[in-house]
Amino acid sequence: MSESDGDGDGESDTEVYEVAVVGGGPAGLSAALYTTRLSHDTVVIDRGGGRAAMMLDTHNVIGVTEDVSGNEFLGTASNQVEEYGGDVIRDFVTEIEREPDGRFRLSGNSTEVIADRVVLGVGFSDERPEPPLPRTGKGLHYCLHCDAYMFIDESVYVMGTGDSAAHVAMIMLNFTDEVDILTRGDEIEWSDETQKLVDGHPVDVIHEDVTGMNKSDDGWLESFEFEDGTVREYKGGFALYGSNYNTELAEALDCDLNDDGTIVVDDHGQTSVDGIYAVGDITPGHNQVPVAMGKGAKAGLAIHKELRTFPKSLEELEAEGPVAESDVPGVSAEIQAAARSFGDD
């Protein structure tokens, strides 16, 4: 932290940072990694969990092998941020308020910090269908682009009744010739145009609800039992019931939202509220780990350009005079210490 904000009465002071990242997923940690390595005092406040933490295996991330779980992946990233001099705190941020001086006060269950810039990397949660269901990652999946590869030449289901479910089912025909849409007894909600597309593709629509499930010894799905007494074998499939975006903090700050519930951002993650950035799955675009990491990196770079001390502008030099040697480097003692000790262990 760069300083403490206190009144000298001996009570614990509120820690002050240049950057506070809310959420410890791939996007938030990437933003924190960049701001920390670019010499800005940074804190990540993470409640734990999240979609990436649920990954049994990590897919589509260059340099990360399949045997790395989501928790291992995020744990390594958190350690990197700390090794470079950032702080990582386990807590749930419940409120963010703008201070009179323009900074932001973040309050959690047991944490309170002040920051010049805030990055929201709080993501969303997938709407889960009703059980019976296989374990997430072992027959129940939410990301086609992450997991379609493992279902090549396998029997696949898609649960849902909307246009997205129908389209994902048809997309899966690129990987396998056995695809069923399971409506679970609910009424179809996709459009007439989508129905014509479904009719033109070799996709079966199963309307009976699932009443039972069979799993193999390793926990993977083997088959579903249906209310008409039939049993259908599946290697796995995808649930398409929508997303619940975690926008409570953004809404309280009056950040603009898109019609789909995501936060409106520019190309660098800046929201409609000056000083507030949003990255990752809470913003529009593909919900992919590498995409989220890229969004976090871009936000980190943008924040650095806003906060870096040097070079001074001509206006600043004319008002304040030349930069003295004693004024550089523009980095806090904490980041300096971390940089000097980095790699010593």
Side-chain angles (χ1 to χ4, degrees), residues 10-197:
E11 296 181 3
S12 59
D13 296 332
T14 301
E15 303 293 354
V16 177
Y17 295 87
E18 291 181 276
V19 182
V21 178
V22 183
L29 289 170
S30 292
L33 188 66
Y34 267 78
T35 57
T36 301
R37 280 181 53 86
L38 288 169
S39 78
H40 301 292
D41 294 296
T42 301
V43 61
V44 177
I45 307 176
D46 177 32
R47 70 174 180 178
R51 296 178 88 237
M54 295 172 61
M55 299 186 306
L56 298 180
D57 311 292
T58 300
H59 305 297
N60 300 348
V61 183
I62 291 295
V64 180
T65 56
E66 298 268 333
D67 59 338
V68 176
S69 70
N71 277 323
E72 291 171 328
F73 174 72
L74 297 175
T76 298
S78 294
N79 290 338
Q80 286 178 295
V81 171
E82 292 181 303
E83 287 174 355
Y84 291 127
D87 291 337
V88 178
I89 299 172
R90 179 58 60 89
D91 199 358
F92 178 62
V93 175
T94 56
E95 187 177 25
I96 302 176
E97 295 182 306
R98 189 184 286 275
E99 295 284 280
D101 61 6
R103 297 183 298 175
F104 299 92
R105 182 178 297 271
L106 293 81
S107 302
N109 293 328
S110 58
T111 305
E112 187 169 84
V113 303
I114 290 175
D116 297 303
R117 299 291 185 274
V118 174
V119 180
L120 300 176
V122 290
F124 70 90
S125 58
D126 297 285
E127 189 71 36
R128 289 176 60 86
E130 293 294 324
L133 294 169
R135 180 182 175 186
T136 300
K138 289 196 171 185
L140 176 63
H141 303 260
Y142 295 95
C143 178
L144 178 145
H145 298 105
C146 305
D147 297 331
Y149 179 88
M150 70 175 65
F151 296 122
I152 292 176
D153 292 332
E154 300 286 355
S155 181
V156 174
Y157 69 85
V158 177
M159 287 186 184
T161 57
D163 286 281
S164 60
H167 283 279
V168 165
M170 291 183 285
I171 291 170
M172 284 304 300
L173 293 172
N174 292 291
F175 304 91
T176 180
D177 59 358
E178 298 183 70
V179 182
D180 292 347
I181 300 176
L182 310 183
T183 68
R184 303 292 302 269
D186 296 327
E187 292 292 325
I188 287 174
E189 298 175 307
W190 58 66
S191 67
D192 292 340
E193 180 180 349
T194 298
Q195 182 63 56
K196 293 178 181 178
L197 291 173

Side-chain angles (χ1 to χ4, degrees), residues 22-28 47-54 120-128 141-146 239-248 260-263 278-289 291-292 295:
V22 183
R47 70 174 180 178
R51 296 178 88 237
M54 295 172 61
L120 300 176
V122 290
F124 70 90
S125 58
D126 297 285
E127 189 71 36
R128 289 176 60 86
H141 303 260
Y142 295 95
C143 178
L144 178 145
H145 298 105
C146 305
L240 279 297
Y241 286 89
S243 306
N244 296 316
Y245 291 96
N246 300 316
T247 57
E248 293 84 358
D260 64 356
T262 57
I263 300 175
V279 295
D281 292 350
I282 196 69
T283 64
H286 293 294
N287 300 319
Q288 299 277 291
V289 170
V291 174
K295 291 180 178 180

Side-chain angles (χ1 to χ4, degrees), residues 265-288:
V265 293
D266 68 11
D267 194 45
H268 300 282
Q270 171 68 58
T271 71
S272 60
V273 176
D274 187 42
I276 301 292
Y277 287 75
V279 295
D281 292 350
I282 196 69
T283 64
H286 293 294
N287 300 319
Q288 299 277 291

